[in-house]
Amino acid sequence: MCGIVGFAFRQPFSAKEILTALKRLEYRGYDSFGYADNSGACIKRVGEIAVDAAPGSFSRTAIVHTRWATHGGITETNAHPHADCTGGIAIVHNGIISNYRELRGDMEAAGHVFRSQTDSETIAHFFEGKDVKKAMPEFFSRFQGEFAVLLIRKGDEKIYAFKRGSPLVLGIAQDGNMVASDIYAFSNKTNRAIFFNEDEFAEITWEGWKFYSIGEGAAPVEKEITPFSWKEGEELGEYPHYMIKEIKEIPQAAGRLLLSLQAEQKPAVEKIVQMMKNAGRVIFVASGSSYHAALIGVQFLARAGMEARAIVASEFRSFMILDESTLAIAVSQSGETMDVIEAMRGIKAKGVKIASLVNVPYSTVQRMSNAHLNIAAGQEICVAATKTFVNQVIAMAYMASMVGYKADFASLDGCIAKAFSQEERIKEIAAELKDRKDIYILGRGISYPVAREIALKLKEISYVHAEGMMAGELKHGTLALIEDGTPVICLMPKNDKDIVSSAEEVKARGARVIAFNGNGIEEGVKIGGADAVAFCIASTIAGQLLTYYIAREKGLPIDKPRNLAKSVTVK
Ligand code: M6R
C-alpha cells in the first residue's frame, strides 16, 4: 500500500511541513515512515508518522513515505527511503516489484550491497551511477509489477517521478510543485493537479515539470491540468475516535446522498440506469465492505427482475463471464483498491463498459469508468467502512428503484434514529461480549450480506473471530460449534418466520441469542424496519456500534487496527 509525497519548492521548507502532508496519507499504511532530502539527510522510524521526527531539517527538495509492509518486516532498515550503495540516490516506492528476487540476485552478483529485505531497494541500486532520465526506458522494461516511485539525488534540486499501476499525481502550487499518491496530500495547498498516466515519468523542480511517455519512446508529452475541489475532512471534535464520529454522521451523509441523487447527480444516475437497461445484466466488482454492499445491490436488482451478480475483485478473473450484454459496476470507497483496478483492467480489455460507485473523487476507479456516481459520504478516516457502506447500500437501492424495485426511502430517517436509540443497550451487550472469542451472525436473504458485514467489522476492529452466515446453512455443519453461551446475533427482519426457527434452533443448543428485532424471541436490540433497505441499514448501524463498543471495552486502537490500511493499493 504505502503513501508517498515529494516537495520541490523555491523557499526551503521544514521536514515537519512535508511530514504533515504525508500524515494526510496515513490511511494508506502506518507501519513505519521516513524522510530524505537532497542534502543527504535521511530519517526512518517505525510506527505512525511523528511530524516532529526531524526537527532541524530544512530543504527545497525532499521525499517522504508511509509504509504498509509487504516485503520485509516492520523495521527501521526496511522503512523507506532506500538508498543505493553510494548514498547518492534516495527513493520512495508504493507498489510491489514482482521480479525483485531476480533483479536483486543480478545486482548482488554485480557487487551491489543491499541493506533491507524490501523489493523497493532494487530501484535505488538500479539507478546507481546512471543518467536517471536516460535509464528510464530500461527501468520500465526490466521492472515488473506495480510502482509509483519518487527519486532524488544528493545535491540535485529535481524529483524524478514515475509510475505503472500505482497512483501518482502532481500538485501545482504558487512557488513550487508537489507530487503524491493522491491529491489529498496537498489538497489544502492547491486545487490544480496533473494525473500521471500509465508508464509515464516526470522531472519536477520548483519551477516546473516535464512529462514523458515510455510508450512513445520516452518522448515528452503535453499534460492537462485538472482543477479539483475537495471538502476537507472535519476534525475529530468531541469524539474519542473517528469510527464513532463517522457512525454518528450516517443520518447526515445518507440525507446528503439522497438529495444529490435527486439533484446534481440525477443525470449521472440516469446514465448508469440506462447503461444497466441497455446491457440487461449487471456484474458488481468490489472488495471487503464494498463487496457486501454489492451483494445487497444484487438482491435489490433481483427483486426488480434484473439479473445481477457480485464478484470479489481479487477473484474476478476466475469468474469472468463478460460480453456486450454485461455492465460492470465497480464499487469502491477509496477508488484505489488494487484488486478492483486489476479487475477493471481485465473488463476494459474485453470492451465491456464500466460504471462505478466511489466515495473519493478523482480516484483511479472513477477516472477509469465510463460513468460514475459519488456516494457523497464525505471523508472517512477510520479504517472501518461505516457511513460509506451505508451510502453504498442507499445508492444501490436508489438505482434499483429506477428499474422497478420498491424501496421506502421515507422510512429511512426513522429507522436510523431507532438504531441510534439503542446505543445504551448495545453498550451493555458489548460489555457482556468483550471476552468472547467467537461470535456468529445469522441472516437470510437481504440480511445475509449484512451478517457478513457485521462479522467483518467485529474481526477488523474488535479482534473477535466472527462468522456472518446464511441462517439456513447452519444445520449443514456450523451448528456443531454452538454450545452453552455461544453468542449468536440473529438479524430478524419483521415478518421473516424462517429466521425465527433458526434462532430457536441455536437457542435450543444453549446459544446466547441476541436478536436484532424479536419476532417472538426475546429482543436484544430493537431495530424496527418493515422496509428491507431500512432494516439493512438499521441493523448495520447496530452492528457497527456493537463492534465499536466491544473494541473500546478491550482498549484497542480502533481507528488504525493492526496490520490493516484504509486503502489497499496492492494485490
Ligand atoms: O476502498 P474500497 O471500498 O475499495 O475498500 C475495500 C475494502 O478494503 C474495505 O471495504 C475494507 O474491507 C474495510 N476496511 C472494511 O471496513
Side-chain angles (χ1 to χ4, degrees):
M1 264 87 86
C2 311
I4 58 177
V5 182
F7 277 9
F9 275 92
R10 187 153 63 99
Q11 300 297 339
F13 54 86
S14 64
K16 184 174 175 168
E17 193 174 342
I18 188 168
L19 286 170
T20 303
L22 183 69
K23 190 88 183 157
R24 298 161 72 92
L25 298 189
E26 209 169 37
Y27 68 88
R28 303 178 76 92
Y30 36 81
D31 288 336
S32 65
F33 69 98
Y35 162 95
D37 62 36
N38 63 347
S39 73
C42 181
I43 63 136
K44 301 178 185 212
R45 297 278 187 281
V46 166
E48 290 179 26
I49 299 163
V51 292
D52 291 322
S57 293
F58 276 82
S59 80
R60 302 191 335 158
T61 312
I63 53 176
V64 285
H65 182 276
T66 186
R67 180 170 188 241
W68 185 84
T70 58
H71 297 64
I74 302 165
T75 63
E76 272 188 18
T77 314
N78 287 332
H80 297 217
H82 292 291
D84 64 342
C85 296
T86 69
I89 285 179
I91 65 99
V92 289
H93 167 221
N94 170 32
I96 290 177
I97 304 299
S98 52
N99 60 338
Y100 84 99
R101 281 182 198 282
E102 178 194 322
L103 292 164
R104 181 172 174 148
D106 291 349
M107 289 172 184
E108 281 176 335
H112 289 270
V113 178
F114 280 72
R115 301 173 190 91
S116 75
Q117 287 85 50
T118 65
D119 54 330
S120 310
E121 194 180 339
T122 51
I123 302 169
H125 290 282
F126 171 82
F127 285 103
E128 185 174 328
K130 292 186 174 124
D131 177 319
V132 176
K133 188 178 159 203
K134 283 193 182 142
M136 218 39 100
E138 187 194 343
F139 175 84
F140 274 86
S141 75
R142 285 194 62 195
F143 280 64
Q144 292 165 12
E146 280 100 36
F147 48 82
V149 181
L150 305 179
L151 179 155
I152 55 173
R153 291 183 309 188
K154 202 168 170 179
D156 189 0
E157 299 211 321
K158 186 184 284 181
I159 300 173
Y160 293 89
F162 39 109
K163 87 129 201 163
R164 172 182 287 160
S166 307
L168 197 59
V169 58
L170 175 79
I172 303 156
Q174 272 232 299
D175 54 353
N177 293 299
M178 300 157 289
V179 59
S181 302
D182 68 47
I183 54 172
Y184 189 59
F186 47 63
S187 58
N188 58 339
K189 292 186 188 296
T190 182
N191 60 358
R192 297 195 310 147
I194 297 177
F195 291 95
F196 283 66
N197 288 330
E198 290 305 289
D199 289 13
E200 279 185 350
F201 70 96
E203 296 175 291
I204 299 161
T205 63
W206 71 265
E207 286 171 297
W209 60 86
K210 282 187 193 141
F211 275 78
Y212 306 87
S213 166
I214 293 295
E216 295 175 32
V221 281
E222 286 299 314
K223 298 289 289 184
E224 211 176 289
I225 297 176
T226 307
F228 66 88
S229 62
W230 180 291
K231 197 179 158 296
E232 290 298 308
E234 288 141 41
E235 296 305 311
L236 201 45
E238 82 233 39
Y239 294 102
H241 301 98
Y242 281 103
M243 183 173 181
I244 189 69
K245 172 179 180 277
E246 288 158 4
I247 294 172
K248 294 288 173 83
E249 283 171 352
I250 287 173
Q252 197 192 355
R256 185 168 55 232
L257 173 62
L258 278 170
L259 275 182
S260 91
L261 292 172
Q262 288 151 18
E264 75 267 20
Q265 294 209 87
K266 193 165 183 260
V269 77
E270 283 171 354
K271 181 176 175 184
I272 295 177
V273 168
Q274 195 52 53
M275 288 164 84
M276 282 162 49
K277 285 180 182 162
N278 293 348
R281 186 170 80 121
V282 168
I283 294 198
F284 293 104
V285 53
S287 307
S289 292
S290 298
Y291 170 68
H292 298 151
L295 283 174
I296 296 175
V298 166
Q299 299 210 26
F300 290 151
L301 288 178
R303 288 172 190 204
M306 181 170 273
E307 190 192 337
R309 287 185 69 185
I311 298 180
V312 169
S314 58
E315 290 292 328
F316 197 78
R317 241 178 266 170
S318 329
F319 291 94
M320 199 150 70
I321 317 148
L322 296 168
D323 54 33
E324 64 289 350
S325 61
T326 306
L327 172 69
I329 303 186
V331 188
S332 175
Q333 185 284 131
S334 62
E336 297 296 348
T337 300
M338 187 51 76
D339 289 329
V340 176
I341 293 168
E342 270 288 297
M344 287 174 82
R345 288 192 185 122
I347 295 166
K348 266 174 134 31
K350 297 247 169 168
V352 169
K353 292 232 165 29
I354 306 177
S356 61
L357 298 187
V358 294
N359 189 45
V360 176
Y362 315 101
S363 55
T364 306
V365 168
Q366 177 175 316
R367 286 181 291 114
M368 284 175 77
S369 308
N370 302 93
H372 71 271
L373 273 189
N374 190 288
I375 60 158
Q379 196 192 353
E380 191 176 68
I381 291 173
C382 176
V383 163
T386 52
K387 60 178 179 171
T388 56
F389 174 80
V390 168
N391 272 21
Q392 286 170 341
V393 173
I394 292 173
M396 301 274 182
Y398 196 85
M399 291 191 304
S401 73
M402 290 176 75
V403 292
Y405 174 63
K406 293 205 177 359
D408 178 12
F409 292 109
S411 67
L412 216 53
D413 279 357
C415 269
I416 291 176
K418 186 143 192 203
F420 280 117
S421 75
Q422 299 294 293
E423 195 166 345
E424 289 309 312
R425 174 75 191 113
I426 291 170
K427 277 186 200 169
E428 288 166 16
I429 299 173
E432 182 197 326
L433 297 186
K434 73 176 194 321
D435 296 321
R436 303 312 304 230
K437 296 267 177 290
D438 305 283
I439 299 180
Y440 297 86
I441 306 106
L442 305 184
R444 288 184 79 95
I446 218 147
S447 65
Y448 157 66
V450 177
R452 288 189 59 180
E453 173 59 11
I454 296 173
L456 178 61
K457 293 281 110 72
L458 284 166
K459 285 185 270 201
E460 73 175 332
I461 302 299
S462 316
Y463 300 172
V464 178
H465 170 255
E467 200 175 329
M469 57 180 301
M470 296 174 182
E473 278 294 283
L474 199 64
K475 56 188 175 294
H476 297 291
T478 311
L479 201 53
L481 293 173
I482 305 298
E483 43 189 32
D484 242 8
T486 306
V488 180
I489 297 172
C490 295
L491 307 183
M492 305 176 71
K494 296 260 183 242
N495 312 321
D496 187 334
K497 303 254 177 322
D498 292 335
I499 189 85
V500 179
S501 311
S502 306
E504 294 287 10
E505 281 162 22
V506 288
K507 217 171 150 207
R509 282 147 183 97
R512 160 77 174 97
V513 170
I514 298 141
F516 282 16
N517 276 349
N519 298 1
I521 301 271
E522 191 196 337
E523 215 154 31
V525 180
K526 288 187 201 327
I527 297 292
D531 175 67
V533 181
F535 180 79
C536 277
I537 290 174
S539 48
T540 297
I541 293 171
Q544 292 171 350
L545 288 171
L546 182 64
T547 295
Y548 174 73
Y549 285 113
I550 293 178
R552 260 188 85 162
E553 287 279 342
K554 292 167 88 167
L556 296 175
I558 293 178
D559 289 330
K560 290 180 183 154
R562 69 182 170 217
N563 305 338
L564 299 178
K566 180 89 184 145
S567 185
V568 184
T569 60
V570 291
K571 278 195 270 179

